[in-house]
Amino acid sequence: GEQVEQRPPHLSVREGDSAIIICTYTDSATAYFSWYKQEAGAGLQLLMSVLSNVDRKEEQGLTVLLNKKDKRLSLNLTAAHPGDSAVYFCAVSVNYNQGKLIFGQGTKLSIKP
Amino acid sequence: GPKVLQIPSHQIIDMGQMVTLNCDPVSNHLYFYWYKQILGQQMEFLVNFYNGKVMEKSKLFKDQFSVERPDGSYFTLKIQPTALEDSAVYFCASSLGRRGPEVFFGKGTRLTVV
């Protein structure tokens, strides 16, 4: 079945710098890709999602890149601020109609002042 | 964004007892899910539910687990009997499915089995 690897597990960047989180997946039939933010004690907030026909999507300081050849998905946060401190998860799905998501292991992002 | 509500937020229960976790999905959503997150670990799919039926379940969805959504009310996860290894945070989620693949999650119910 699908395997998702996420790295790094921990990331610390200075306020105003960029942060990049990467996920690799194994199933070339993967059709749906998403990123979630989980703040301490809270649920998962959907940040962005793309289907497999999209290579790049930008919204509000976030950029998602999809490289289907390398089976790699990345999330780039530009100009990080303290409110970005959280755990970030990628989540992918082969059959997005039924929403069974396979999650990465998570990246704990810390923003230093 | 769309809200999925989960009740209660915390539940402590004696091993062997029954527990029901309640979820109020987004009102027009069609697919409903439960995920399990053990502290500090990744989210794992348990089950999805559509049109009154379980569509798919993972190996984590033990025989002691059951789901239902009677007459459009709460979508529930029942564990009977509970075991110590069931201690985790359980997240409910919902989506439109084909008409919208985005999956929205609730804040989770922290279940502690003692």
Side-chain angles (χ1 to χ4, degrees):
Chain A
E2 173 91 272
Q3 303 284 326
V4 178
E5 297 292 325
Q6 182 173 343
R7 63 180 193 276
H10 301 274
L11 181 60
S12 181
V13 301
R14 293 199 176 279
E15 188 173 353
D17 287 350
S18 295
I20 299 176
I21 304 170
I22 294 173
C23 284
T24 56
Y25 58 96
T26 56
D27 193 335
S28 57
T30 303
Y32 174 73
F33 307 84
S34 55
W35 286 97
Y36 288 88
K37 177 183 180 182
Q38 185 178 34
E39 294 178 273
L44 289 98
Q45 175 192 352
L46 178 63
L47 292 175
M48 289 176 71
S49 64
V50 297
L51 296 177
S52 57
N53 59 350
V54 173
D55 293 333
R56 180 188 181 98
K57 184 175 180 179
E58 291 185 51
E59 274 181 12
Q60 298 179 328
L62 299 173
T63 302
V64 170
L65 295 177
L66 176 62
N67 182 326
K68 290 187 287 292
K69 175 176 171 291
D70 294 338
K71 298 192 188 71
R72 187 175 66 240
L73 174 74
S74 65
L75 176 69
N76 188 340
L77 290 83
T78 55
H81 58 86
D84 292 329
S85 294
V87 179
Y88 290 79
F89 292 94
C90 65
V92 306
S93 177
V94 171
N95 183 352
Y96 63 81
N97 293 339
Q98 296 186 11
K100 176 187 172 184
L101 296 171
I102 307 299
F103 280 79
Q105 295 80 8
T107 296
K108 185 170 184 179
L109 176 63
S110 302
I111 311 301
K112 298 178 291 188
Chain B
K3 300 289 186 192
V4 175
L5 301 176
Q6 288 189 244
I7 302 166
S9 56
H10 292 85
Q11 178 97 43
I12 299 174
I13 195 150
D14 291 327
M15 183 176 61
Q17 297 297 304
M18 181 193 77
V19 68
T20 300
L21 309 184
N22 297 298
C23 171
D24 189 8
V26 179
S27 61
N28 62 337
H29 281 186
L30 302 173
Y31 286 83
F32 314 114
Y33 319 90
W34 285 101
Y35 285 78
K36 177 180 180 180
Q37 185 181 39
I38 295 174
L39 186 64
Q41 298 183 24
Q42 70 201 85
M43 297 276 284
E44 295 197 86
F45 170 83
L46 285 176
V47 65
N48 59 4
F49 188 86
Y50 169 74
N51 199 26
K53 293 192 290 282
V54 169
M55 302 293 289
E56 185 176 358
K57 54 187 179 182
S58 74
K59 60 180 185 294
L60 296 178
F61 194 81
K62 304 182 297 183
D63 291 343
Q64 297 90 325
F65 288 28
S66 62
V67 292
E68 64 176 356
R69 193 186 187 212
D71 300 324
S73 61
Y74 286 143
F75 176 51
T76 62
L77 173 66
K78 184 185 294 185
I79 308 174
Q80 180 178 27
T82 51
L84 294 176
E85 61 265 27
D86 296 330
S87 295
V89 181
Y90 290 85
F91 289 91
C92 175
S94 68
S95 75
L96 282 169
R98 188 183 302 273
R99 282 184 277 156
E102 294 84 2
V103 180
F104 295 94
F105 284 79
K107 293 186 177 182
T109 294
R110 182 177 296 279
L111 176 67
T112 303
V113 182
V114 297

